């Protein structure tokens, strides 16, 4: 970034400080990761200069000789990796991708059925604050009060009662694997379109360590930057019979020109995700999550559903006597970055809920394994025991800094030990 350094030292300094923050801290936000240098370089390439509204062979601007090839390559790689009949790689991110699906299949006022936001669903799955809750009759299903898990009998009952035109399976904070076949049966019984939002676990699907929703769903949306470890973007995968409706909904329905630099970086990330080393990475993501969950449970932490099958876990801190926000702020001071999160049936408000969410995609990308997960559980426990002891938090931050120095983060190798 020498040119930025010369021209805009203020911004240069901020970016360099952020690089250092990402290198020196343990990043446990379940939706974040570290992209590789090839993905980073492609994102920052001259492709950012191009406009290319439309699709390959049918653009509204000239000069698409290479852009068409880039987009077709991304599409082909996504089809191969996920076994999808049709893929659109243009959505800017997960929310626009989900809105495009609604535009493709629904009219304002139609009924949708998704996982309730406080139970782990996403804003765009029908939350009132989102366009998905404002423009549609948004109904939701909740987790079982006893097990903290999805109860497919009650989802079916709800679907029979509200007769949704579209059912959404998928989540931002559910630590278990979804039963896509059961969702398909429910959708068929009520004549609904089945949409799966696999944003959180797309990388795990790509790595073969999580069941794929693609054979079951009419349409699958995903971001590309979470466990899939690509740039910030999204894709929509669907059956061929829905291809025209989906493409028309993305452009011109919701968006204008695609971000071609992102499309190209998605293609690079998909190539990475097809490798044996990515498969090993996803196996380790799950192993790390399960080791961390078990270690925390042994220390008296209350995990929603008792553990995890995927890359994330949700911890209810009520028995530890502090709120999720207090915990997240203290952990951040100690060099552990995560987010506070509502837990199912939370009695506290969303801006200061009872839980914290953590995930292992980012730490696994930098090479953390079981040993580091056990160390991490010790650090978390120490912070939660003394969240206001500034000296102790500073001491933990130093210990974490020393560990991180041995695990250079992808894309930030120049800051290594
Ligand atoms: N905001 C993302 C997350 O953190 O899970 C979901 O889009």
């Amino acid at each position: 970034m020498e040119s930025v350094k010369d021209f805009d030292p203020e911004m240069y300094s901020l970016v360099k400080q952020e690089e250092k923050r990402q290198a020196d801290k343990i990043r446990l936000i379940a939706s974040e990761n570290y992209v590789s240098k090839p993905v980073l370089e492609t994102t920052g390439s001259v492709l950012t200069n191009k406009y290319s509204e439309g699709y390959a062979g049918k653009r509204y601007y000239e000069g698409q000789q290479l852009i068409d090839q880039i987009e077709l390559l991304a599409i082909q790689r996504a089809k191969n990796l996920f076994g999808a009949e049709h893929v659109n790689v243009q959505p800017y991110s997960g929310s626009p991708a989900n809105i495009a699906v609604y535009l493709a299949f629904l009219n304002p006022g139609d009924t949708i059925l998704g996982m309730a936001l406080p139970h782990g669903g996403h804003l765009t799955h029908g939350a009132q604050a989102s366009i998905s809750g404002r423009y549609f009759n948004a109904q939701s299903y909740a987790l079982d009060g006893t097990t903290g898990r999805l109860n497919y009998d009650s989802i079916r009952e709800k679907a029979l009662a509200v007769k949704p035109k579209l059912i959404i399976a998928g989540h931002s904070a559910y630590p278990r694997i979804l039963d896509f076949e059961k969702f398909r049966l429910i959708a068929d019984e009520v004549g609904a379109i089945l949409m799966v939002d696999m944003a959180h676990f797309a990388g795990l699907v790509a790595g073969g360590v999580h069941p794929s929703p693609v054979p079951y769903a009419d349409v699958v949306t995903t971001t590309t930057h979470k466990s899939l470890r690509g740039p910030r973007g999204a894709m929509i995968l669907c059956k061929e019979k829905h291809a025209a409706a989906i493409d028309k909904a993305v452009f011109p329905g919701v968006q204008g020109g695609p971000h071609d630099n992102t499309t190209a970086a998605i293609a690079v990330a998909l190539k990475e995700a097809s490798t044996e080393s990515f498969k090993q990475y996803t196996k380790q993501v799950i192993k790390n999550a399960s080791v961390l969950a078990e270690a925390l449970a042994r220390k008296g932490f209350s995990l929603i559903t008792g553990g995890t099958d995927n890359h994330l876990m949700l911890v209810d801190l009520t028995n530890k006597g502090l709120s999720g926000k207090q915990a997240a702020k203290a952990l951040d001071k100690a060099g552990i970055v995560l987010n506070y999160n509502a837990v199912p049936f939370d009695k506290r408000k969303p801006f200061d809920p009872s839980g914290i969410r953590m995930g292992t995609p980012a730490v696994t990308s930098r090479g953390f394994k079981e040993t580091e997960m056990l160390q991490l559980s010790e650090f978390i426990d120490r912070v939660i025991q003394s969240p206001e002891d500034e000296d102790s938090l500073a001491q933990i931050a130093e210990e974490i800094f020393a560990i991180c120095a041995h695990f250079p983060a992808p894309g930030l190798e120049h800051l290594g030990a």
Side-chain angles (χ1 to χ4, degrees), residues 29-31 95 122 171-173 199-200 223 225-226 339 357:
I29 293 180
S31 46
S95 297
H122 189 255
H171 57 80
S172 288
H200 260 267
T223 49
H225 47 268
K226 297 186 173 89
N339 64 287
R357 183 187 70 161

Side-chain angles (χ1 to χ4, degrees), residues 221-367:
T221 59
T222 183
T223 49
T224 45
H225 47 268
K226 297 186 173 89
S227 55
L228 191 56
R229 215 163 62 179
R232 295 195 76 105
M235 303 189 292
I236 303 176
L237 291 60
C238 66
K239 303 280 182 250
E240 191 58 46
K241 66 179 174 184
H242 301 308
I246 289 293
D247 285 352
K248 205 168 137 206
V250 174
F251 171 82
V254 173
Q255 298 184 174
H259 297 173
D260 299 314
N261 54 325
T262 300
T263 304
I266 289 174
V268 175
L270 291 168
K271 182 170 181 182
E272 290 176 354
S274 318
T275 59
E276 183 53 35
S277 85
F278 190 84
K279 279 198 178 73
Q280 293 309 320
Y281 159 71
T282 56
K283 262 190 204 153
Q284 192 66 46
V285 166
I286 290 191
K287 213 182 277 173
N288 282 351
S290 117
V291 169
L292 181 58
E294 282 163 21
L296 290 173
R298 283 195 297 276
K299 292 181 184 306
F301 284 89
S302 169
L303 276 89
I304 302 301
T305 77
T308 177
D309 294 331
N310 58 23
H311 62 300
L312 70 82
M313 64 211 77
L314 200 53
V315 181
D316 183 348
L317 292 167
T318 309
N319 67 341
K320 297 284 183 183
L322 76 172
S323 74
K325 193 172 188 172
Q326 285 172 309
K329 298 233 171 269
L331 286 159
D332 190 44
K333 285 186 189 165
I336 298 169
V337 190
L338 45 69
N339 64 287
Y340 49 88
N341 214 98
V343 297
F345 309 101
D346 207 329
K347 294 196 178 66
R348 301 181 63 92
K349 297 255 181 293
F351 202 58
D352 189 10
S354 301
I356 48 177
R357 183 187 70 161
M358 49 188 107
T360 53
V363 288
T364 309
S365 286
R366 71 186 303 168

